[in-house]
């Protein structure tokens, strides 16, 4: 085999007539060519056979070589032959195409490139057929190829030793060919031996693999893959209808996280070797999980780079041809064919390079999300304290996404070197030593970019930190919006978000203005390099000819992109490293220790739970452990009650049994499965049925029993969808009692051996509590082990007493104190207690039955009536359909300064384009076509004018970049403020029906797009339109006939774009919509991880996360395919225009057209396909990205609440002075289509009196309070406070004058001080006084930082009871005339409840106190009791009068409560 042979004048190889015929290189080349033709014919015949007869022969041929190593070897040989083909072709062209041996070498290299390439594709695409026999033809071909390679190598060595005229690359090439043949032969024969041994084991797997995971992409043939035609059916569907997720095909199994995640995990674990996860190990696992795809994209990137420099290299030759210098016949057609083929190869390589890069990014993101999610399931509570849920979610939404995005830049580092090397080589050929100046200027531009790149990286990092802080705060605010609105604090917290955004905007401004400078460098770089190069040519005396000038300009233009992307690449590398560092740091966090609890096999011990001498602490380093010296034995079937004061360690004891609390000493043993009911209910988004089943199969009989036992039957009957009703995020459309009962039902349905109840009945009323106690504890769980928080006494984290109830009671001390408090609460109704105890048990049952006959409604959850039975409260996320309205574009453009900057931005770009064309035309016109032609102007004039035009164009770019980022920044700021003002002012019903994930998605992802992407998308579109017009303008100067092709091509391009955009738009929208469920599921998992672990449901939740992750990846994958489908077709159309122009140019006689002008047209025409494809891509991408603006505007137009302040009707500062609340014919419904919740209530709460509101769950108690605060607006009637109609005053004037202790105790992340006084209205002395009054003063003084002691997210480092006492402290500070307690003591023990009541009686004796309570003790000493039933007043009188009437519903309620209290004491 020869390389650039027969170049006699170069002395590379000389043919000797004395040489033997068998030693002739020409013969060997023909033999090699023949072998490659045979291989192609064999593969083609077998492919035809496979298509016609469905025979698996095609697979049989390739099966024996089916391995990644062989595939890589084939691709490497194809690439090597391609490089030699290009070099050989260049050499043949330089030799005036007269060397026949060189032509033979060219053909052989071409055949070798194609044959090895086809074999590579066959190996990659072939299915895993069951191999019955190895291919004889393939093995025979490999043997022949091995022999010829060996012989050729020997011949080259012999000739080299004799004549020393063989090029040094030849033996190297022959050695590579021989080695490859040897390797392939070995694999083929080795496979035969292995196949005969292992066929029995392999066959089932091969059959199974071949029949699953078929997708349009995986089924596509070679032609379909090359042209992206496999996307056509989906795009066609998108044109017929708006795409839904069901229309988007599944991912192939190789791209699904279900397969990727286990492989990635095993790679990460194998690289970790027992140590922690480091950034390098994480990067290593990411690379090897997609290493084959990365190598393939590297191959495509290499081909694209080589092909993109063919055009600039041939421009000078074309100009000389047009000037009349012909080197051989048909030279023009050869040039046109070369230009066209190079463009075709460039297009194919680029499109597949880009598509596969996105595919790699999707894979990497999915793997990281799966690992982050899995870590969230196993994270210890101590580790979780250091990471808020918002931060953990950011790892998934920001960091994993960024690592996926980095795949765009994965090859940029080595490609930059390759591109600069090619550019310098071509410049050296054309301009000689002046290319050194070009290199120096290029390096200078890159060095200038580095500091800006570093600044950009720092600004980006700070911007992300600021965004993290803002999102963390926003997440917390959205979670607690109801509390904020009740307290009238929402605008204060909005100002907090705005403050955080102001900090973010500071970094954003620096980031975008720095981007403007980088953009200026990008556009100005070719000008600087060209000025330096041409100046050097003049100084060095290098003759300037128009062909060489135009070739250099084309090279500079091609070189601009890698120079521009260098700082961005550096920035992305650093950003990705930061993200990988963050993820690796998170993955290194401490997991829950699985050895805390020893889980014994079921039935292996009589003891269900045994805790021996155990000391446990949430914080292992703390001097005061949470639980000390715990000894506890619970036998199977026992019912154990645990009780103690607030903060004594009751919940921690249950957590320790679950293995959640780190163990310092001792042992914990559990025998059997566990069921856990947390104190704070954790409810998943989904239907009621899904929450109860919790992954278990439906057993209708057991399900019905559980629903009945948990008193859910009546609730389900009133719902239009029954148990198929969709529950909102965190159960937002359920009452506290309903959430707790669903949680109990979930635990019961699991049929566990041991049940751990953390005070689950505190949130339900007396009726329901009694029912649950009997049906659950004494019914379904009669044979189960139950540990129930309320009655084994704990004090300061120790078990102070343990034993049977009567034994402990007789011993006095701690337990007696609690029971004393309980009895004290019942003292007022002692007689009722006695009489109810002496009556038959049937009395209580009758009372319950009589209540249950009434229709139970929980209208707080906004249930629909039969009139609109298809309306769920929580709907699918709304998304626009069809094209984005022009109004959206117009609003975005005119938002900043009324759109005044837009004309100046466009003008600056038009001037830049004109000056660029002018400067290039000047250089082409001013320089001679060849040495023997005189120049039009002298060199000094040439350079002065050129530099002036170049400087003007650079100035225009600086103006355009600055104005663009100014307008973009202003628009982003305005949109942010509009959306957040609207969201914070929207009514509570909006938050009830809108999962926070949807709002968070707009505040994070969509806002980021508005901040950083959309201005550049608009700019990109405008710039590309102007550039395309400029290119066509220049080309039309050569021939107006170009319009004959260009106009239909533009029409076809527009048709393709419109055809594509319908599907792409919906895929982009689905991409946004599918992200919210993934975030929401992640958020729910983090908050409910304890419950998930207690039921051993981790694997199911991992599966759900993978399913949602794939659902998110599907639109991304097919959107990437759709974009490349369009770009490929547009590239082809543009290439046709370019080819037509070239054919026209070579067809006209010499001298008709100025060769310099024609060369300029070709120089610009080289970019036509790129610019036209970019134009359509920019148009489509803008429409996809503008959806973010559309989504933000959606939430910037949500209807708002009534005004916060009505200046014309403000109450006096002393209002309310009396506290009289007068309710007249009050009717309330939650939405126009829903039934009335309150049906004409009329009553008066006298000022200074304590009124208790009681009633069954769903009777309207909480609704009445919400109406008082105008969380819900009345449908009819009115409420007057001290004679002022509350509907006529502003919301803040109302809410800030009232106080409330809500049902769900809420604390915000921050300090004790900021939680008690968020508005910063009170002094430290006043705060300490309030803390002492609510019995928290001593607790806070124990802490190191006192009032500045930290409060973690959701107040997790404070017990539920302590959080409720903090809420009490808030109202003690506020001292309003009207105080509302909305089931405020549900989370505290009886003693603390009495303490709260005592505090309220003492400090609010002259105030109107309205109490909603489940405990009779909380309302029994009220002045008045209001009993609601189904939204109407059933009874309203003093408790004494109501108790005197034994038939009253209140008396029955009290009897039931005291009966339950007595029975629980027995």
């Amino acid at each position: 085999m020869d390389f650039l042979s027969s170049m006699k004048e170069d002395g590379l190889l000389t043919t000797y007539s004395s040489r033997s015929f068998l030693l002739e290189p020409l013969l060997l080349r023909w033999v090699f060519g023949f072998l490659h033709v045979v291989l192609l014919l064999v593969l083609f015949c077998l492919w035809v056979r496979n298509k016609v007869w469905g025979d698996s022969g095609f697979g049989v041929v390739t099966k024996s070589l089916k391995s990644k190593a062989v595939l890589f070897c084939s691709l490497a040989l194809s690439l090597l032959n391609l490089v030699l083909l290009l070099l050989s072709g260049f050499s043949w062209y330089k030799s005036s195409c007269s060397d026949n041996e060189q032509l033979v070498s060219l053909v052989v290299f071409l055949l070798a490139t194609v044959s090895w390439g086809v074999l590579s594709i066959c190996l990659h695409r072939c299915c895993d057929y069951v191999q019955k026999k190895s291919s004889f033809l393939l093995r025979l071909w490999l043997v022949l190829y091995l022999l010829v390679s060996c012989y050729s190598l020997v011949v080259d060595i012999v000739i080299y030793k004799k004549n020393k005229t063989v090029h040094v690359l030849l033996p190297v090439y022959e050695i590579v060919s021989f080695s490859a043949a040897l390797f392939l032969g070995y694999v083929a024969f080795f496979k035969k031996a292995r196949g005969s041994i292992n066929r029995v084991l392999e066959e089932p797997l091969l059959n199974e693999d071949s029949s699953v995971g078929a997708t349009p992409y995986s089924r596509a043939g070679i032609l379909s893959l090359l042209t992206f035609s496999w996307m056509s059916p989906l795009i066609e569907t998108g044109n017929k209808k708006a795409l839904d997720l069901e229309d988007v095909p599944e991912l192939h199994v190789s791209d699904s996280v279900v397969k990727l995640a286990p492989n990635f995990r095993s790679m990460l674990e194998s690289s970790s070797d027992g140590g922690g996860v480091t950034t390098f190990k994480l990067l290593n696992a990411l690379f090897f999980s997609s290493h084959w795809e990365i190598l393939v994209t590297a191959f495509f990137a290499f081909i694209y780079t080589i092909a993109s420099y063919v055009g600039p290299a041939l421009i000078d030759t074309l100009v000389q041809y047009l000037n009349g210098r012909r080197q051989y016949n048909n030279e023009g057609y050869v040039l046109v064919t070369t230009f066209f083929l190079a463009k075709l190869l460039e297009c194919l390589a680029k499109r597949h390079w880009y598509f596969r890069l996105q595919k790699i990014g999707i894979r990497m993101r999915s793997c990281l999300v799966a690992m982050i999610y899995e870590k969230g399931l196993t994270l210890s509570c101590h580790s979780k304290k250091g990471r808020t849920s918002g931060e953990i979610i950011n790892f998934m939404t920001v960091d994993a996404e960024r690592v996926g995005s980095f795949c765009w830049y994965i090859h940029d580092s080595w490609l930059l070197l390759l591109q600069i090397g090619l550019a310098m080589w071509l410049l050296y050929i054309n301009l000689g030593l002046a290319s050194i100046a070009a290199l120096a200027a290029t390096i200078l531009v890159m060095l200038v970019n580095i500091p800006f790149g570093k600044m950009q990286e720092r600004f980006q990092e700070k911007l992300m930190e600021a965004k993290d802080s803002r999102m963390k705060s926003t997440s917390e605010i959205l979670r607690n919006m109801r509390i904020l609105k009740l307290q009238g604090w929402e605008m204060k917290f909005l100002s907090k978000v705005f403050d955080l955004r102001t900090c973010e905007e500071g970094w954003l401004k620096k980031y975008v203005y720095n981007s403007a400078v980088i953009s200026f460098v990008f556009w100005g770089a070719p000008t600087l390099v060209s000025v330096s190069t041409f100046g050097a040519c003049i100084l060095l005396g290098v003759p300037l000819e128009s062909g060489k000038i135009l070739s250099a300009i084309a090279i500079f233009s091609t070189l601009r992109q890698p120079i521009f992307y260098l700082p961005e690449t550096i920035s992305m590398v650093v950003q990705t490293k930061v993200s990988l560092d963050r993820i690796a740091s998170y993955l290194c966090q401490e997991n829950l220790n699985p050895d805390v609890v020893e889980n014994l096999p079921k039935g292996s011990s009589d003891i269900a739970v045994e805790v021996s001498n155990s000391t446990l602490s949430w914080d292992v380093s703390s001097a005061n452990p949470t639980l000390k010296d715990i000894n506890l034995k619970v036998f199977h079937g026992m019912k154990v009650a645990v009780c103690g004061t607030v903060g004594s360690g009751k919940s921690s004891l249950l957590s320790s049994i679950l293995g959640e609390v780190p163990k310092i000493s001792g042992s914990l043993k559990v025998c059997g499965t566990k069921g856990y009911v947390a104190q704070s209910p954790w409810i998943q988004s989904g239907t009621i049925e899904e929450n109860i089943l919790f992954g278990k199969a439906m057993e209708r009989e057991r399900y019905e029993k559980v629903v009945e036992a948990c008193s859910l039957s009546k609730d389900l009957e009133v719902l239009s969808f029954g148990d198929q009703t969709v529950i909102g995020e965190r159960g937002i459309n359920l009452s506290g009692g309903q959430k707790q009962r669903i949680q109990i039902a979930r635990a019961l349905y699991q049929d566990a051996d041991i049940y751990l109840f953390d005070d689950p009945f505190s949130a339900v009323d007396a009726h329901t509590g009694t029912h649950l106690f009997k049906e659950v504890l004494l019914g379904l769980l009669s044979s189960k082990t139950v540990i129930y928080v309320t009655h084994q006494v704990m004090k300061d984290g120790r078990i102070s007493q343990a034993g049977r109830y009567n034994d402990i009671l007789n011993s006095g001390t701690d337990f007696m104190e609690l029971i004393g408090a309980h009895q004290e609460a019942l003292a007022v109704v002692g007689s009722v207690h006695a009489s109810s105890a002496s009556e038959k048990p049937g009395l209580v049952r009758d009372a319950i039955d009589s209540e249950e006959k009434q229709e139970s409604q929980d209208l707080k959850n906004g249930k629909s009536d039969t009139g609109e039975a298809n309306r769920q409260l929580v709907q699918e996320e709304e998304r626009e359909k069809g094209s984005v309205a022009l109004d959206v574009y117009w609003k975005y453009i005119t938002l900043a300064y009324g759109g005044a900057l837009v004309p100046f931005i466009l003008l600056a770009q038009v001037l830049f384009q004109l000056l660029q064309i002018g400067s290039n035309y000047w250089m082409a016109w001013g320089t001679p076509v060849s040495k023997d032609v005189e120049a039009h102007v002298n060199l000094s004039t040439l350079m002065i004018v050129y530099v002036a035009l170049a400087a003007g164009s650079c100035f225009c770019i600086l103006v355009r970049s600055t104005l663009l980022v100014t307008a973009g920044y202003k628009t982003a700021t305005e949109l942010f403020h509009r959306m957040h003002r609207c969201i914070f002012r929207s009514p509570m019903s909006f938050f009830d029906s809108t999962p926070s994930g949807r709002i968070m998605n707009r505040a994070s992802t969509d806002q980021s797009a508005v901040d950083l992407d959309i201005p550049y998308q608009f700019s990109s579109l405008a710039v590309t339109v102007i550039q395309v017009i400029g290119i066509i303008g220049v080309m039309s100067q050569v021939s107006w006939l170009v319009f004959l092709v260009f106009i239909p091509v533009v029409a076809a391009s527009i048709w393709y774009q419109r055809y594509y955009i319908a599907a792409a738009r919906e895929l982009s929208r689905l991409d946004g919509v599918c992200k919210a469920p993934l975030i929401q599921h992640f958020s729910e998992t983090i908050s409910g991880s304890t419950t998930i672990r207690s039921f051993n449901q981790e694997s199911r939740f991992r599966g759900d996360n993978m399913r949602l992750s794939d659902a998110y990846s599907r639109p991304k994958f097919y959107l990437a395919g759709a974009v490349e489908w369009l770009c490929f077709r547009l590239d082809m159309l543009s290439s046709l225009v370019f080819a037509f122009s070239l054919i026209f140019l070579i067809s006209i006689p010499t001298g008709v057209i100025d060769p310099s002008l024609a060369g300029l047209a070709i120089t610009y025409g080289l970019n036509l396909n790129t610019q036209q494809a970019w134009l359509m891509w920019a148009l489509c991408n803008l429409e996809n990205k503008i959806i973010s603006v559309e989504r933000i505007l959606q939430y910037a137009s949500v209807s708002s609440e009534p005004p916060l302040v009505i200046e014309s009707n403000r109450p006096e500062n002393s209002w309310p002075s009396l506290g009289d609340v007068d309710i007249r014919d009050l009717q309330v419904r939650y939405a126009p289509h829903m039934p009335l919740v309150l049906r004409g209530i009329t009553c008066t709460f006298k000022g200074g009196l304590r009124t208790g509101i009681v009633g069954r769950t769903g009777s309207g108690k909480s609704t009445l309070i919400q109406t008082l605060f105008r969380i819900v607006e009345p449908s009819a009637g009115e409420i007057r406070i001290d004679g002022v109609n509350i509907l006529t005053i502003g919301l803040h004037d109302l809410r800030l004058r009232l106080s409330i202790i809500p049902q769900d105790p809420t604390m915000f992340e921050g300090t004790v001080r900021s939680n008690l006084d968020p508005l910063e209205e009170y002094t430290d002395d006043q705060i300490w006084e309030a803390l002492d009054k609510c019995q928290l003063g001593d607790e806070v003084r124990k802490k190191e930082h006192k009032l500045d002691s930290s409060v973690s997210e959701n107040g997790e480092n404070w017990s539920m009871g302590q959080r409720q006492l903090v809420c009490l402290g808030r109202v003690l500070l506020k001292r309003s005339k009207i105080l509302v307690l909305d089931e405020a003591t549900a989370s505290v023990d009886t003693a603390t409840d009495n303490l709260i009541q005592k505090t309220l009686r003492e400090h609010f004796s002259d105030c109107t106190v309205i109490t909603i309570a489940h405990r009779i003790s909380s309302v029994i000493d009220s002045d008045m009791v209001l009993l609601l039933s189904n939204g109407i007043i059933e009874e309203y009188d003093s408790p004494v009068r109501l108790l005197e009437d034994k038939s009253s519903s209140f008396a029955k309620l009290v009897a039931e409560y005291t009966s339950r209290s007595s029975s629980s004491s027995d």
Side-chain angles (χ1 to χ4, degrees), residues 60 154 167 331 379 462 1020 1244 1305:
V60 168
V154 171
H167 194 279
E331 181 185 3
L379 207 61
K462 294 293 185 182
S1020 178
T1244 300

Side-chain angles (χ1 to χ4, degrees), residues 507-520:
W507 294 112
L508 177 64
K509 181 181 279 190
K510 292 176 182 176
Y511 181 89
V512 295
Y513 278 104
N514 194 62
S515 297
V517 176
I518 292 174
S519 178
F520 165 69

Side-chain angles (χ1 to χ4, degrees), residues 590-604:
E590 181 187 9
N591 283 342
L592 274 176
N593 186 354
D595 300 327
V596 169
V597 176
E598 181 183 351
N599 291 295
L600 304 175
K602 186 176 179 179
S604 61

Side-chain angles (χ1 to χ4, degrees), residues 760-776:
F761 301 160
S762 60
V764 298
D765 55 70
H767 286 301
T768 312
T770 301
H771 181 85
L772 290 173
F773 193 82
K774 292 192 172 185
E775 296 296 325
V776 175

